[in-house]
Structures are given as structure tokens and as C-alpha cells.
Amino acid sequence: MSKDKNGAGAKPDKTEPNKPDAGQVPRVEPVETPETGQAEPEQAEPAQRDDDATVAGAEPAEAPAPAEPASGWKRVGQLLRPRGTRSELLTGLLCLALGFALAVQVGQSTGDQLSSLRQDELVRLLDEVTQRADQLDAEVSDLEAIRDDLQSEDGRDQAARDLAQQRAEQEGILSGRLPARGPGVEIHVADGDKPLEAQSLFNLLEELRNAGAEAIQVNGVRLVTTSYFVDSGGGVVLDGAAISSPYEWTAIGDPDTIDRALEIPGGALPRIREEGGEATTTVEDEVLVDAVRIPGEPEHAEPADGK
């Protein structure tokens, strides 16, 4: 060993034969593994050279950290970001042109419909629109007047009285307490060779009710929900009073519906004819049911508490 001129350190007298010189890559020696007994080469560390000097066996520089993967929303944003390619620009222009063409065609078709009409047709169309507008204005005025009446105290009282009066009239007609007038039919029924039974007259009453008759009378007797027919000594008793042929019926309701219902094969009138009796129906625009009944007090039923 001998010192250099500056005395910084000892320098060997001889160069070791196995030590690599600076700037050369060291030779890799095989290393024998204890498990397999085979030699594996040791990991060689690359030499690092700085600006001033090259040091053999220096530590490698740290590799840059990998970039973090982009988030899901960021990827979606990158995918949806317009790139302005030629195909996209061409597609947008085509869509714009198509929309403009459709708008122009719709406008022209509407204008062609009106332009093809004659002057008298246009005048008639204008009159219809004007009349419809006037009708709507009149309906608005009526509804506003009704609203004002209902909002006022007197209007509420009058509306309640009108509703009560209407319900009283309807219940009076249905219960037989009031006479009634309206479209309906006149039915003539008479005995044949043998007297008709009560069942035939009752079937006729049921047919009239099923056909929607609202007021019915026969031989001056008002028929109500409690009416009944019974045979008695060769005659017929209606609600406790004897009646005899001919039986003159008057019913208020839809005339056409009642007429068709009574003439159904196997119905009330065909069966009366099969038994030898007479049965004819006359349709009238207006008939009068003037017989009335005073409803009796119910013996068992009583009003239930509304819930």
C-alpha cells in the first residue's frame, strides 16, 4: 500500500485480477440454490453514470410512479367529448337539413288545404268558427252566472230548494204519489174464449218494468212496487180490488224499447195470444198516467243511520 500525493487514501500496489475496471459491467457469477442444487445467475445491477464520474455498481435511479387510472366518469367524459371528425360533422348537417325539410313540408301542406278551398267554403268555415266561439262565450257566461249564484248565500238556498223540489217530484212519480206525463205506449189486453189468469197480467207488468217503464197504470189503478195480481172466482184482483177485461194499460218510457221487449218470442204478449187472448200495442209520443196512490207507512222498515 502507498499513499497518493494528496494523502486521501491508500492505493493498492497491484491491480486485483478479478476486480472490474470503472465503466465496465461486472461479470455475472452463477449462484447455486439450496433447493435444486442448480446455479442461477445473480441479478446484475446496472452501473449509473453521473456527470462527473462513472461509479461501478452504483444504485439505479428510482423509476417514475405509474399514472393513476382515470375514474369512470372521466372515461365517459373522454368518450363523449366531441372530436369534430368529418363523419360527425356530415351527420349533423344531414340531420339539420332533414328537420328543415320536414318543417317546410308541414307548413306547405297546411297552407295547401286552405288555399284549395273556394271562397264560399272559406266564408262558411269562418262562420262556423265564429258561431262556435259565440257559443263558447255564452256557455262561459252561463257558468259564471251559476258560479256567482252558488257563491252567494241566496243562491245556495235557492239551489238547495230546487234540488229538494226535483227529488220530491222524482220520488213522487216513482212511488205513484204524483201523476206523470211523457212518451210511452198504450196496451190493450182482453180475454179470449176463456178468462186470462192473474199470472199472465203479472208477467206483462214484469216485462214493462224490465223494459224501463217509469209509470204504469191499468184500468185506472196506479201500479207501484207493492202491486200484485191474484185470481179470485173466475176474475182477477189487483191490489185488493177486482178488475175485469178488457185491461187497458198505459206505460211511460222509451216507446221503441218497450214495444220490442213486449213482442219478444215467448214474452208476455205472445203468450197471451197463445192462450187465446187479445194483445195490441200502440206507440205514442205522449201518454198520461193520472192515477195516483198514497204510499202507506212501512210496518217493518225504518231509515238507517247514514255512515
Side-chain angles (χ1 to χ4, degrees), residues 100-291:
F100 178 75
L102 290 176
V104 172
Q105 183 177 1
V106 171
Q108 290 180 352
S109 61
T110 304
D112 293 341
Q113 292 177 358
L114 296 177
S115 61
S116 61
L117 297 177
R118 298 191 302 272
Q119 183 176 1
D120 56 345
E121 294 177 346
L122 292 174
V123 172
R124 181 176 55 81
L125 181 60
L126 180 59
D127 291 340
E128 291 177 356
V129 173
T130 304
Q131 292 177 2
R132 182 56 179 167
D134 294 340
Q135 293 176 358
L136 293 176
D137 292 339
E139 292 179 4
V140 170
S141 300
D142 295 340
L143 292 176
E144 289 178 350
I146 295 174
R147 180 199 61 190
D148 297 338
D149 291 340
L150 293 176
Q151 289 179 350
S152 64
E153 183 175 356
D154 296 338
R156 288 194 298 269
D157 295 341
Q158 184 62 38
R161 287 192 295 268
D162 294 342
L163 181 60
Q165 180 67 23
Q166 181 181 2
R167 288 183 177 178
E169 292 176 354
Q170 293 175 352
E171 294 175 359
I173 293 174
L174 296 177
S175 64
R177 182 175 52 84
L178 296 176
R181 183 189 305 273
V185 296
E186 298 279 357
I187 306 171
H188 172 77
V189 177
D191 295 337
D193 296 337
K194 61 179 182 178
L196 293 173
E197 296 180 354
Q199 184 63 42
S200 299
L201 301 180
F202 182 76
N203 290 339
L204 178 55
L205 174 60
E206 290 299 310
E207 291 284 351
L208 289 172
R209 287 174 174 171
N210 293 336
E214 299 173 352
I216 308 170
Q217 72 179 20
V218 55
N219 289 7
V221 179
R222 185 70 170 266
L223 300 179
V224 293
T225 57
T226 58
S227 295
Y228 61 91
F229 293 89
V230 294
D231 294 318
S232 176
V236 178
V237 174
L238 169 60
D239 293 344
I243 59 175
S244 60
S245 177
Y247 306 102
E248 303 295 341
W249 296 70
T250 303
I252 296 177
D254 185 3
D256 296 332
T257 301
I258 295 176
D259 186 27
R260 287 193 300 268
L262 295 180
E263 295 296 340
I264 293 176
L269 296 187
R271 291 183 60 181
I272 290 175
R273 298 189 186 102
E274 291 176 359
E275 296 175 2
E278 298 177 5
T280 58
T281 304
T282 303
V283 175
E284 300 288 349
D285 293 334
E286 183 176 279
V287 295
L288 175 64
V289 176
D290 53 0

Side-chain angles (χ1 to χ4, degrees), residues 2-14:
S2 62
K3 294 183 179 181
D4 56 6
K5 296 179 181 181
N6 296 327
K11 185 176 181 181
D13 296 336
K14 295 181 180 180

Side-chain angles (χ1 to χ4, degrees), residues 294-298:
I294 303 300
E297 293 292 335

Side-chain angles (χ1 to χ4, degrees), residues 53-81:
T54 300
V55 180
E59 295 293 334
E62 294 183 359
E68 295 183 359
S71 62
W73 290 110
K74 188 174 181 180
R75 294 177 182 176
V76 172
Q78 293 176 354
L79 293 175
L80 297 179
R81 184 177 58 188

